[in-house]
Amino acid sequence: MASITFKGNPVTLLGQEVKVGDKAPNFTVLANDLSPVSLDNSKGSVRLISVVPSLDTGVCDQQTRRFNEEAANLDNVQILTVSVDLPFAQKRWCGAAGIDKVQTVSDHRDLSFGEAFGVAIQELRLLARAVFVIDSNDVVTYAEYVSEATNHPNYEAAIEAAKQAK
């Protein structure tokens, strides 16, 4: 199991850690219009999944903006940002931030994504910062659990993994 801290304090992650080579687990989250979104919705595509505790914090904001900017350079890669923010808040934030290439989805209802990917923080009911790349055959080709939730992920490594995935 991944071991992380949140503001220097150890936290408990629920679910199973996902590793490179694993078949990506399915999940159901909510789009900004409250429609369900699952891994199956993007079957046959490369997915970069950026996981953030809350879009309304500095590092999460920067992470989502960075992947939104990089999306233009990633042909045939779908980018999802997952948080437990309410879909309405995500939609408002995307509008204010000009986010138009990344799809934000909410795991607030039942932590389906968080538990499936081992990023649900038990003590806070937030998601740990992480990045996953899943290829068109639903195999995990990149997995980063950021050891301190307030730190940035390795953007370059995730982007390169997305470019290499088929």
Side-chain angles (χ1 to χ4, degrees):
M1 198 64 204
S3 176
I4 72 151
T5 57
F6 190 92
K7 295 184 177 181
N9 298 308
V11 293
T12 307
L13 297 180
L14 303 174
Q16 295 297 313
E17 181 177 356
V18 174
K19 295 183 166 97
V20 170
D22 288 352
K23 181 165 177 53
N26 205 3
F27 56 85
T28 302
V29 291
L30 296 175
N32 293 171
D33 65 1
L34 302 180
S35 63
V37 175
S38 71
L39 188 65
D40 291 340
N41 287 109
S42 55
K43 199 160 199 57
S45 299
V46 173
R47 281 76 35 114
L48 186 153
I49 302 177
S50 171
V51 187
V52 299
S54 175
L55 291 170
D56 282 324
T57 62
V59 176
C60 300
D61 176 287
Q62 292 172 30
Q63 181 174 332
T64 305
R65 288 175 191 266
R66 173 74 184 268
F67 284 126
N68 190 67
E69 291 168 11
E70 295 290 345
N73 303 320
L74 295 172
D75 293 334
N76 302 317
V77 176
Q78 182 175 11
I79 302 176
L80 296 175
T81 293
V82 183
S83 73
V84 293
D85 296 308
L86 293 175
F88 314 111
Q90 290 179 338
K91 184 175 182 178
R92 175 196 45 78
W93 182 87
C94 286
I99 301 298
D100 58 356
K101 295 172 187 71
V102 169
Q103 180 182 11
T104 56
V105 292
S106 176
D107 198 23
H108 86 93
R109 187 170 55 188
D110 58 11
L111 297 177
S112 172
F113 179 89
E115 291 183 5
F117 280 75
V119 293
I121 300 174
Q122 180 178 2
E123 294 85 350
L124 302 171
R125 202 173 195 292
L126 294 173
L127 301 181
R129 187 173 317 284
V131 180
F132 303 96
V133 175
I134 301 166
D135 71 12
S136 60
N137 295 312
D138 295 340
V139 174
V140 177
T141 63
Y142 180 84
E144 178 187 8
Y145 292 82
V146 180
S147 61
E148 165 53 51
T150 60
N151 291 343
H152 287 272
N154 185 336
Y155 298 108
E156 291 76 19
I159 292 160
E160 187 57 34
K163 288 179 179 176
Q164 299 299 319
K166 304 264 187 264

